[in-house]
Structure formats: C-alpha cells, structure tokens
Amino acid sequence: KPIPFLFPVMRDAMLGVVFWEGHVVDSSQEQGDGSLLLSLSEAPSHHRRCGRCGSDSVLLHERRRRRVRDRDWFDRRVWLDVPIRRLDCYQCGARAAERLSWLDTGERITHRLRAWVEALVQILPIAHVAQLTGLHWHTIKRIDHRRLQARHGAFDAQGVRRLVMDEFALHKGHRYATVIMDAERLRVLWVGEGNSREAIRPFFELLGEEGCRHIEAVAMDMNTAFDLEVRAHCPKAEVVYDLFHVVARFGREVVDRVRVDQANALRSEPAQRQVIKRSRWLLLRNRDNLGDEQAVKLEELLAANAPLATVYLLKTAIKEIWFAPTVREGARRWKDWYRFAMDSGIAPAIAFAKRLRKYLRGILASAIFPLNTSVLEGVNNRIKVIKRMAYGFRDSAYFFLKIKAAFPGKAR
C-alpha cells in the first residue's frame, strides 16, 4: 500500500533528480517485510548517454526493469524498481546499457548504498555490517575488497631505503605469511603467503633492480631464507638482526631449559620445585614491567638459585650489545658477553653463544642502522585483531589488503 505521508512528496520530480539523476518517482509501495519499493521512470528532459563511450544517444534498443537496493531511509529498507535501457549508439556503434551517474552497469546496489557500506566496514566487522544493512556477507566483502584494491592494491616502494621483514601465523598448523614494511614511514609495502626464499622473491621482483640498489639496510630475525634472499637481490644492503627475536629465542632455548632442569633437580623438595616451575614469566619479562611484589619474588629466586641468576644476567647483558653507540663498542660488549657465557659452564648458554657468533655482523650493524622489528610486533598484534573482527579469513588476498590498509604509513 502507498505510504501516505511520503507518497505526495515522492511524486515531486525534483526528489528523483536529487537522488536518482534522470529519473522521477512514479509511486511508492510498502512491502510485506516493511521495506519501501519506489518505482522510477525516465525524466522527460533526461539525456541518455552511452555506457561505453559516454556520448548522447537517442536510439533505444530495448528496455527492461531491475530491482535495486538503495541506502536505508531511517528504519526502512529502500528498493528501487528501475528502468534499464540498452541503447544503440551512433558514436561507437555499440549496443550498451545506459550510463547512470548513481548506478554502475550490471550492479544491484546504488552508489549511495555502496558508500555507506564502505564507511561501515572500516569500523565494524563484516558480519555486523551484514546484519545492519541486510546485505549478504559476500556482497559486503566484495564491496570492501574493491575499495581496498583501488586504494592499496598498487605496489608503491618509491624512495624506500630501509626495510623491516617479519613473519606471522596465517593459520593454525605452522602456516605463515611474511610482511615487509618501510622502516622510515612505517608503511606496509607487501604481504605474501609463506616465509621461504621463493615466497618473498616476488617482493624484490616488484622492487626491481633500481629499487633494490637503493636499499641500504633490512631488519629481520635470524631467518636464513630472508637473509639469503636479501643478499641475492640487494648487494648494498646491510642485514640487521633484531634484538626482540634474539632475546625471545634466548628465553626459550636457555632460560626455559635451565629452569626446567633446575626444577627437575629438586624432585625431593616439592615446595622449592613448585617455586621454580611457576617462575617462567618472572624470568622472561623485563624487570621494568614487574610489580613491586613480583620484583621481590624475582630477587629471592635469583639469590637462591645460581644457574638461574647466571642466565638471567646473560639475558639482561645481551641487550646492551644492540644499544652500543659504535661498532667498536658493540664488538667489545659482545666479547665480554661471549666470555661470560662460555665461562658460565651452563650447556644451553654455551650452545646458544656459539650459534649466535655466526650472526655477529648483523648484530653489530645495529650500531650503524638502529633498526628493529618491534614495530612489526605491533603489526602482528593488529593483525590478530583484524582476524578476530573477521572471525577468520578464507581469502588471503583480501586479508593482506586489510593489513596494508591498517598501516598506510606516515606522510612524508
């Protein structure tokens, strides 16, 4: 049935001109679900334009009608019954659909509805936008994917000199993806599935020989695949190994191992054994992040257990190498730390020090290029939030565009 308070207004031709250029509203009808159906017709003064070349066209080849969704009006869904005309164009000789300023060829949603959806998906999960608008999940994803592709799909690494590379978990089951960021502008340049040499090679191919020559430093963890691929494509680039990953690995391979060994050695003393078993986070967290009560517990633990005190001091001292003001000072700090580790007599610490010695050049390079991947740890946390908002991503390309959009970088 017609909507009494709207129908007289809908007959106003100016309303059609404002919202649906070239058309007027003939009638309005309330549907069974409470939505509003507006029937449109061509305005008398409307100039038809060819959908292919854009020129004026007067010859009509065929006419049919299509139902199209528009943006909601208050609490009502709005549907349009639109005449779709196929024109016979003198200019280009094509028989093409008429070009409309508010509706793309072949689409069933208006530009206004699409713009509304594009604004919503930037602040809400797709599932919530679908519930709010009544559109299908895949329709909203397609709209957002097109928006992201237009804004962030092109590869742009102009002027990039320093890079940060890291991997993140894409799915459960040891499936990873690699993210590469401009270290100076904090902009995600590229995201690709996998963490092997073959997986990251497309980035350097996109960068080109000229772009690779301008790269002077790349920060990464001790990933051999990353290292080899960077050296193969960017001969002038200095590899800088990241402190965060080294300390995290030292915590897993040395501190945790010694803690478990010390706990196992106290099987006959259950109370002391439980104290050591439950001390993992006290030993791994930075001292500055501990509360007063936790700091006291840590001091008591280290005073009572010499091996744990030794590896804890090694964990603290290794950080100073990365903060050395010069390469010479960094080398001196490394020698002191290495000697301390070798003299400790703790097997996991000795093995770790020997492995780390192979990466010394990249460690000392931090004095020249103070880069680190801590910013990418923030990226990884944001990636987890994006995945949670989307309840998981089945389309990796769409997911990677979401990541690029979340980190557009700082203005020059």
Side-chain angles (χ1 to χ4, degrees):
K1 62 180 180 179
I3 309 301
F5 66 94
L6 284 177
F7 185 68
V9 180
M10 292 299 178
R11 296 303 300 267
D12 189 347
M14 288 302 296
L15 187 63
V17 171
V18 170
F19 291 105
W20 309 289
E21 182 184 8
H23 295 76
V24 294
V25 179
D26 285 336
S27 63
S28 62
Q29 193 79 19
E30 186 178 12
Q31 305 297 294
D33 59 357
S35 62
L36 187 64
L37 176 63
L38 305 180
S39 181
L40 306 184
S41 64
E42 184 179 6
S45 59
H46 176 58
H47 292 281
R48 302 167 181 165
R49 304 187 72 84
C50 174
R52 177 171 295 182
C53 66
S55 61
D56 287 346
S57 182
V58 296
L59 285 181
L60 179 64
H61 178 67
E62 65 175 349
R63 179 190 283 109
R64 60 187 183 277
R65 301 192 71 85
R66 180 186 301 163
R67 185 164 291 194
V68 174
R69 261 294 302 277
D70 201 357
R71 180 172 176 174
D72 294 356
W73 287 6
F74 303 104
D75 61 340
R76 289 184 180 273
R77 300 271 189 265
V78 176
W79 291 90
L80 305 176
D81 186 30
V82 185
I84 302 297
R85 294 170 288 271
R86 193 174 176 204
L87 307 178
D88 194 352
C89 181
Y90 282 115
Q91 191 70 26
C92 65
R95 290 178 177 174
E98 178 186 4
R99 177 179 297 181
L100 300 177
S101 62
W102 48 273
L103 181 67
D104 288 338
T105 303
E107 284 288 342
R108 292 185 179 272
I109 60 172
T110 64
H111 290 179
R112 293 198 317 131
L113 177 57
R114 186 180 65 196
W116 186 38
V117 170
E118 288 177 351
L120 289 174
V121 292
Q122 296 180 59
I123 57 175
L124 294 173
I126 291 180
H128 294 181
V129 177
Q131 185 178 10
L132 179 63
T133 62
L135 296 173
H136 195 279
W137 191 95
H138 290 289
T139 300
I140 296 170
K141 179 220 166 184
R142 177 173 58 85
I143 293 171
D144 195 32
H145 196 168
R146 186 182 299 176
R147 175 187 69 87
L148 293 170
Q149 185 65 37
R151 295 186 183 182
H152 306 285
F155 179 80
D156 178 18
Q158 186 175 6
V160 174
R161 299 181 305 147
R162 299 181 182 183
L163 300 173
V164 182
M165 305 175 66
D166 198 11
E167 61 188 29
F168 63 91
L170 187 58
H171 300 288
K172 291 183 179 179
H174 298 286
R175 290 189 59 191
Y176 294 94
T178 301
V179 58
I180 301 178
M181 175 178 274
D182 181 347
E184 294 176 307
R185 294 185 60 194
L186 304 182
R187 176 170 59 100
V188 171
L189 301 172
W190 183 86
V191 188
E193 193 165 350
N195 57 354
S196 63
R197 291 189 65 176
E198 294 76 15
I200 65 173
R201 191 167 297 154
F203 168 78
F204 295 101
E205 293 172 351
L206 288 171
L207 196 60
E209 292 185 11
E210 186 66 24
C212 289
R213 279 198 296 269
H214 286 88
I215 302 300
E216 59 184 27
V218 184
M220 65 179 72
D221 64 357
M222 291 184 292
N223 184 319
T224 304
F226 290 176
D227 190 333
L228 294 175
E229 200 65 16
V230 167
R231 297 185 192 281
H233 292 277
C234 306
K236 296 181 180 179
E238 195 69 55
V239 171
V240 182
Y241 293 117
D242 173 54
L243 167 64
F244 175 87
H245 288 88
V246 174
V247 173
R249 181 174 290 188
F250 186 88
R252 292 191 303 270
E253 298 180 4
V254 181
V255 178
D256 263 355
R257 184 68 263 166
V258 173
R259 180 183 60 84
V260 171
D261 291 343
Q262 291 301 303
N264 291 337
L266 295 171
R267 292 183 185 276
S268 60
E269 302 179 40
Q272 296 183 30
R273 184 169 184 263
Q274 284 300 315
V275 171
I276 293 179
K277 284 186 66 176
R278 295 172 180 175
S279 64
R280 183 169 189 258
W281 296 114
L282 281 178
L283 295 167
L284 295 182
R285 293 183 68 181
N286 291 329
R287 187 184 292 265
D288 296 338
N289 296 332
L290 297 177
D292 293 339
E293 185 178 348
Q294 292 173 321
V296 171
K297 289 181 178 179
L298 177 63
E299 293 297 336
E300 293 176 349
L301 176 67
L302 298 181
N305 194 292
L308 285 179
T310 300
V311 295
Y312 188 83
L313 288 174
L314 283 170
K315 181 176 80 79
T316 303
I318 197 174
K319 300 176 185 178
E320 298 302 319
I321 303 171
W322 270 264
F323 296 106
T326 64
V327 173
R328 184 178 295 276
E329 175 62 19
R332 186 191 67 78
R333 295 180 184 183
W334 161 258
K335 290 177 182 178
D336 291 344
W337 184 89
Y338 185 79
R339 188 181 304 112
F340 183 18
M342 299 303 290
D343 293 344
S344 68
I346 300 174
I350 294 172
F352 186 88
K354 289 180 178 179
R355 288 196 302 271
L356 195 61
R357 184 171 55 182
K358 298 184 294 184
Y359 300 95
L360 182 58
R361 180 184 177 91
I363 294 172
L364 299 181
S366 59
I368 304 172
F369 303 102
L371 300 174
N372 59 71
T373 62
S374 60
V375 63
L376 279 184
E377 297 310 311
V379 172
N380 287 344
N381 291 334
R382 184 68 178 274
I383 288 170
K384 294 175 184 176
V385 172
I386 294 173
K387 283 198 289 189
R388 282 200 302 270
M389 286 184 64
Y391 306 108
F393 276 89
R394 290 167 288 180
D395 185 343
S396 295
Y398 177 50
F399 182 32
F400 295 162
L401 285 172
K402 279 282 193 183
I403 295 172
K404 293 183 71 175
F407 298 91
K410 297 186 284 189
R412 290 187 181 276

